[in-house]
Amino acid sequence: MKQFYDLARWRARIFSKLMSIVLLAGVVAAIPSTLMALADGMWPIAAMDVLALAWIFAIWRLKRLPYAVRVLNFLAVLYLVGVGLMLGVGAVSQIYLMAPPVLAVVFLGTRQAIAALLLSGATILALGLGGYTQLFVEGLDHGVLSSLVVTLNYLCVGAAITITCGTLVKGLSQTLGEMQGFAASLEHKQARLHELNAELRLTSAAVARLNDMVLIARAVDAPGAHQPIIFANEAFERRTGYRRDEIIGQSMRVLHGPETDPDEVARILWAVARNEPVKSELLNYTKGGDPYWVEMEMVPFASEGGRHTHWVVVGRDITERRNSARAIHHLAFYDVLTGLPNRRLLTERLDTLVAARNAGGPLGAVLFIDLDNFKTVNDARGHATGDALLRSVGERLVSVVRARDTVARLGGDEFVILLQDLGDDVPAATDAAVKVAHKVLATLGAEVVIDDQLYRSTGSIGVALPLRPGLSGHDLLREADVAMYQAKAAGRNGVALFECTMLAEAEQKLTLERDLAVALDNRELAMHLQLQVGQDQRPIGAELLMRWRRSDGILVPPEVFIPIAESTGLIVPLGNWALRQACEAWLRLQQAGHALPLSVNVSPVQFRQPDFVDQVRAVLRDSGVPGAQLIFEVTEGLLMEDLDQTIARMHELTQLGIRFSVDDFGTGYSNLAYLRKMPLYELKIDKSFIRDTPNDVNGTAIVQSILAMAEHLGIRVVAEGIETIEQAKYLSAPGGPCMQGFLFSRPAPLEDILATLSGTDSPAA
Ligand code: C2E
Ligand code: MG
Ligand code: MG
């Protein structure tokens, strides 16, 4: 390409061609002219022709000679031929002398051309002045003047032609130079294009093999128009199952499916409409319909002119990441056993519900459900059954509420239902919530079969609505919890609607809990004794009853603080303390000569402590009190749960001499078969049956049947709560029960009892 635009090469080529033509033409012309010259006897002409021809042949042939030498030789031939012809033919041949300067400018350059022109001009002048050639000019006689005129004419014309040719050659040279520059830049561009091409091939090979999915879509500006895919890489084909030819021309929307978030899609379309890049996490579907999560970035691609022509979409499969994030989320917000929302998620939803209500939204309600006696199932049947029961309860709870409501498990046997959108009318919303609570009770009461065993649960449900202004989600849950405790206290398997008074009670309970925790250390607790008498009305024993006088002087009844102590676990240290107090009291009584056996109330919580027997053994050993001097009063509730273990433990204690009494007998659950199985010494008829004796027919009937049953079993009976002489008289009969009540002795400090005993040494009343 380069040589094409090189003037020197052009000159060489033209010169070479010219030489061929000149040689050919020379041969053709020289043969007849030489023959004619020879025939005319003009041998110098013939010789010159031959010489010139030979010389031209040599120039044509000797291509190894430098170009300039060859050209100069050629010019020399022309010059000499011109001079020869001037001499031989005359002035007309001066036209031959025109050739050297003209060809010099073409083949060599302007300077050489001027030299040739001047040489030719000088030669013509010299030939004219020397008289070798007749340079005749019409009207001019003078030979010198004619020669000058002819020479000048020659120089003028020669110069005009030479300069014209020179200018042409110069122009051509310039054009060639430009062409050469252009060609060079073209060559450079081509090389760059090659490079780019190679880069492009490399990039597209890399894109094709990339692990990320890559799509390129043509940008179509029309609103709502789909952007047809024009390229998809291998990773895309692999992940989606679409072949390239199947996806080309399609819209990316073919990848969406039923679970693809429409809001997210709308956001992407919005960005597309505005030619803006967009990032998104989206659920897409493979050709086979399998969902997968993709993290994608869609970037507009503009042409060099700035026009937006394509979309480049790069997507990464994040299904695994999403799944593990979802699993982590599930672990954090859902209960593992039932799969229901846990406390954390419930708290979030509660806060949302309350916030919505505080902002004027519709009412909702919270149902706090606690299963009654779930612990019994768990203890008796094992945790696997307990878990299955909890799962079944969860499923049933979900089945009675609407999809938008929440059923959560707080832990243990506590569930919470969050009812949404109950309208604005408070009575109607309350009514609806209570109705759902009753539906829940009904579904809990339905029989379920677990491991071939029939189970029926009951529950206590507290209902609360966000009615108080400024209430928090936590407050609302607490209100429902408080109401649930009311439902439990009211006999279980029921529904209680939260009332503000309950909160005060709960508040009070909390205060009591706190105060009770320090009551023992603060020496606010004391043990009183209540004497029991036999049929002869002589003291046969005494029951120890705990008393709590708070630092502010207020006496808290055991009916209030004992359940609190039980629910908080404080009953364990309190019960231990009571046991030691009983031993101390017995020793004091013994010292005073009244070694009466003492009855100690033992809570089920205390009794079930794994080290209870050891504790008792230690107390007896430390105090030296014989076990036979203590009667443990237990309630029927204890005997209901985990009977085998209870009986085993009772036997362990009887080994220490301890005797057992069933307190408040008749108020518990009526299965009497257990009575036979356990080492019982005594039954205490509950004071509620004595209260209306002998006037109430039902009461007396129960008392009589308990007495008959005890006699049958060979168990001693103590009738509690004897307040009147009528009651005492009614129960006074041979083989009648021992008695305990205000009629004989009010519970009093040991000192008072000692005084009573020593004062009378006879019947207590
Ligand atoms: P309980 O074991 O059935 O005790 C008998 C209750 O009847 C005592 O109530 C006693 O003061 C009361 N009482 C006795 N005679 C009469 C009477 O003629 N009329 C009436 N209306 N009541 C009479 P208290 O002392 O208030 O104790 C209540 C309950 O608290 C006890 O019932 C017992 O279950 C529990 N408790 C008391 N002290 C202890 C204790 O040290 N440990 C445990 N675990 N529970 C205790
Ligand atoms: Mg008692
Ligand atoms: Mg009692």
Side-chain angles (χ1 to χ4, degrees):
M1 181 65 88
K2 208 175 162 192
Q3 68 269 24
F4 193 76
Y5 303 106
D6 190 349
L7 182 66
R9 286 177 190 271
W10 272 108
R11 279 175 161 157
R13 276 178 69 188
I14 296 169
F15 179 69
S16 170
K17 278 198 176 146
L18 181 72
M19 287 313 294
S20 303
I21 293 164
V22 167
L23 191 63
L24 193 70
V27 170
V28 172
I31 290 171
S33 113
T34 307
L35 289 175
M36 269 167 54
L38 283 175
D40 291 347
M42 295 168 74
W43 60 268
I45 297 286
M48 201 176 65
D49 278 352
V50 172
L51 188 70
L53 208 58
W55 199 350
I56 284 179
F57 179 79
I59 295 167
W60 176 76
R61 190 86 187 106
L62 296 171
K63 287 189 174 119
R64 274 171 299 134
L65 284 177
Y67 167 76
V69 174
R70 291 173 75 205
V71 173
L72 282 173
N73 271 282
F74 178 59
L75 295 183
V77 173
L78 290 177
Y79 172 75
L80 289 178
V81 168
V83 172
L85 289 174
M86 284 281 284
L87 290 175
V89 181
V92 70
S93 300
Q94 64 180 288
I95 193 75
Y96 283 91
L97 287 175
M98 195 65 80
V102 172
L103 291 178
V105 85
V106 170
F107 291 120
L108 293 174
T110 312
R111 268 189 297 123
Q112 291 87 333
I114 288 168
L117 184 69
L118 290 177
L119 177 65
S120 296
T123 304
I124 291 167
L125 185 64
L127 290 176
L129 290 178
Y132 302 106
T133 304
Q134 279 292 317
L135 300 178
F136 176 74
V137 178
E138 193 73 35
L140 277 183
D141 297 338
H142 200 283
V144 174
L145 220 52
S146 289
S147 297
L148 276 175
V149 170
V150 170
T151 303
L152 273 176
N153 273 307
Y154 166 82
L155 285 175
C156 279
V157 174
I161 295 172
T162 305
I163 287 167
T164 305
C165 287
T167 310
L168 270 175
V169 170
K170 208 171 172 185
L172 182 70
S173 164
Q174 256 173 12
T175 309
L176 284 176
E178 280 166 17
M179 292 276 279
Q180 194 174 13
F182 177 69
S185 96
L186 205 65
E187 238 172 83
H188 177 74
K189 276 184 184 162
Q190 242 171 7
R192 182 79 196 113
L193 213 61
H194 272 297
E195 263 173 45
L196 281 177
N197 225 348
E199 267 176 34
L200 203 66
R201 277 206 307 279
L202 202 67
T203 317
S204 59
V207 166
R209 274 155 199 78
L210 216 59
N211 268 336
D212 285 349
M213 292 174 266
V214 179
L215 285 180
I216 300 175
R218 194 153 50 75
V220 180
D221 230 359
H226 84 250
Q227 319 284 309
I229 295 168
I230 59 159
F231 170 84
N233 73 344
E234 282 169 23
F236 175 86
E237 289 184 293
R238 270 198 309 275
R239 185 64 191 93
T240 63
Y242 284 106
R243 283 198 322 275
R244 207 166 295 179
D245 58 310
E246 289 172 322
I247 201 72
I248 299 290
Q250 300 268 28
S251 156
M252 268 171 282
R253 287 187 228 169
V254 295
L255 302 171
H256 301 167
E259 300 274 304
T260 307
D261 182 3
D263 293 343
E264 195 58 11
V265 174
R267 195 175 69 81
I268 296 169
L269 292 178
W270 173 244
V272 167
R274 287 149 51 107
N275 283 345
E276 281 175 359
V278 60
K279 281 185 187 175
S280 170
E281 287 193 6
L282 205 64
L283 188 72
N284 278 354
Y285 287 78
T286 65
K287 190 183 164 194
D290 294 327
Y292 64 94
W293 276 97
V294 68
E295 177 189 56
M296 68 136 195
E297 188 167 4
M298 199 165 166
V299 187
F301 179 82
S303 65
E304 271 179 18
R307 200 172 65 83
H308 170 214
T309 56
H310 292 89
W311 288 100
V312 178
V313 187
V314 180
R316 177 166 297 175
D317 185 350
I318 53 159
T319 312
E320 224 165 88
R321 194 179 83 195
R322 289 291 294 219
N323 283 349
S324 51
R326 206 176 47 184
I328 290 167
H329 177 269
H330 207 268
L331 271 182
F333 288 97
Y334 289 85
D335 172 45
V336 178
L337 178 66
T338 58
L340 295 174
N342 63 10
R343 182 186 286 273
R344 202 166 150 196
L345 185 53
L346 173 80
T347 309
E348 274 184 18
R349 295 198 181 161
L350 253 175
D351 289 344
T352 315
L353 180 136
V354 170
R357 177 59 190 162
N358 287 342
L363 278 162
V366 176
L367 272 53
F368 201 114
I369 303 154
D370 187 283
L371 301 184
D372 301 326
N373 303 322
F374 171 74
K375 205 175 170 305
T376 317
V377 177
N378 225 11
D379 289 347
R381 300 276 164 220
H383 287 274
T385 307
D387 287 353
L389 189 64
L390 288 174
R391 269 196 293 269
S392 138
V393 165
E395 283 162 18
R396 280 179 283 159
L397 294 184
V398 170
S399 73
V400 293
V401 297
R402 302 160 302 174
R404 72 193 113 142
D405 299 325
T406 300
V407 177
R409 177 170 172 241
L410 284 195
D413 57 354
E414 289 179 341
F415 292 84
V416 171
I417 295 180
L418 215 65
L419 299 175
Q420 309 266 11
D421 303 332
L422 297 180
D424 283 328
D425 183 38
V426 175
T430 310
D431 198 40
V434 171
K435 270 193 183 127
V436 175
H438 282 287
K439 257 166 79 179
V440 169
L441 279 190
T443 186
L444 287 180
E447 285 179 344
V448 281
V449 180
I450 296 166
D451 291 338
D452 299 331
Q453 295 258 359
L454 267 185
Y455 291 92
R456 184 182 272 146
S457 320
T458 59
S460 302
I461 306 180
V463 180
L465 283 82
L467 301 178
R468 289 191 295 129
L471 188 90
S472 73
H474 176 262
D475 295 340
L476 184 60
L477 190 65
R478 181 145 180 265
E479 289 185 356
D481 189 14
V482 165
M484 185 276 290
Y485 269 101
Q486 285 291 318
K488 255 204 193 327
R492 303 171 177 229
N493 196 20
V495 176
L497 185 64
F498 173 79
E499 287 163 21
C500 284
T501 51
M502 291 180 184
L503 206 60
E505 283 168 30
E507 217 78 60
Q508 196 188 7
K509 198 180 144 205
L510 212 69
T511 316
L512 285 178
E513 264 176 39
R514 227 179 27 232
D515 293 352
L516 186 61
V518 292
L520 199 58
D521 290 343
N522 288 355
R523 298 175 170 275
E524 291 169 17
L525 294 173
M527 288 310 257
H528 282 195
L529 282 86
Q530 187 179 27
L531 289 170
Q532 298 165 332
V533 299
Q535 281 289 321
D536 59 358
Q537 305 204 348
R538 284 175 188 278
I540 50 117
E543 179 178 2
L544 280 112
L545 296 161
M546 203 180 285
R547 294 291 176 262
W548 178 23
R549 188 180 291 280
R550 286 191 345 185
S551 53
D552 54 10
I554 293 172
L555 205 62
V556 185
E559 242 104 31
V560 172
F561 76 79
I562 292 293
I564 293 176
E566 285 181 326
S567 67
T568 54
L570 271 173
I571 195 70
V572 177
L574 293 190
N576 263 328
W577 175 79
L579 199 58
R580 288 182 186 279
Q581 290 289 306
C583 290
E584 267 180 39
W586 186 85
L587 290 171
R588 293 276 311 277
L589 284 167
Q590 189 207 31
Q591 275 170 10
H594 306 287
L596 295 172
L598 294 181
S599 294
V600 185
N601 291 289
V602 174
S603 151
V605 180
Q606 189 188 354
F607 185 89
R608 289 201 193 95
Q609 289 298 302
D611 63 345
F612 180 61
V613 178
D614 295 335
Q615 294 276 0
V616 174
R617 191 179 287 123
V619 172
L620 293 178
R621 189 191 56 223
D622 294 350
S623 64
V625 175
Q629 293 302 317
L630 295 180
I631 298 169
F632 281 0
E633 292 190 10
V634 295
T635 53
E636 283 178 276
L638 173 72
L639 311 175
M640 290 299 295
E641 291 173 22
D642 213 353
L643 200 57
D644 294 340
Q645 206 196 334
T646 304
I647 292 173
R649 188 161 287 184
M650 279 173 121
H651 279 295
E652 275 184 77
L653 289 164
T654 50
Q655 299 288 308
L656 302 176
I658 306 285
R659 287 173 290 175
F660 283 96
S661 168
V662 180
D663 204 354
D664 305 336
F665 187 75
T667 56
Y669 304 94
S670 53
N671 182 357
L672 300 179
Y674 66 82
L675 289 180
R676 286 182 183 283
K677 297 188 185 170
M678 43 186 57
L680 292 182
Y681 168 71
E682 175 186 280
L683 293 182
K684 290 186 83 174
I685 304 177
D686 190 65
K687 53 183 177 288
S688 60
F689 302 119
I690 304 297
R691 193 183 309 128
D692 300 322
T693 304
N695 306 321
D696 179 61
V697 186
N698 292 333
T700 48
I702 292 173
V703 171
Q704 287 306 323
S705 59
I706 293 175
L707 286 171
M709 188 179 67
E711 193 186 358
H712 178 70
L713 291 171
I715 299 176
R716 184 175 92 149
V717 176
V718 175
E720 285 189 304
I722 311 291
E723 290 183 354
T724 64
I725 294 180
E726 286 75 36
Q727 289 165 341
K729 269 191 183 157
Y730 176 76
L731 293 168
S732 296
C738 301
M739 287 177 276
Q740 180 181 345
F742 295 165
L743 180 66
F744 307 106
S745 155
R746 283 196 175 258
L750 177 64
E751 306 307 325
D752 295 3
I753 296 296
L754 280 171
T756 307
L757 287 173
S758 57
T760 58
D761 197 23
S762 59

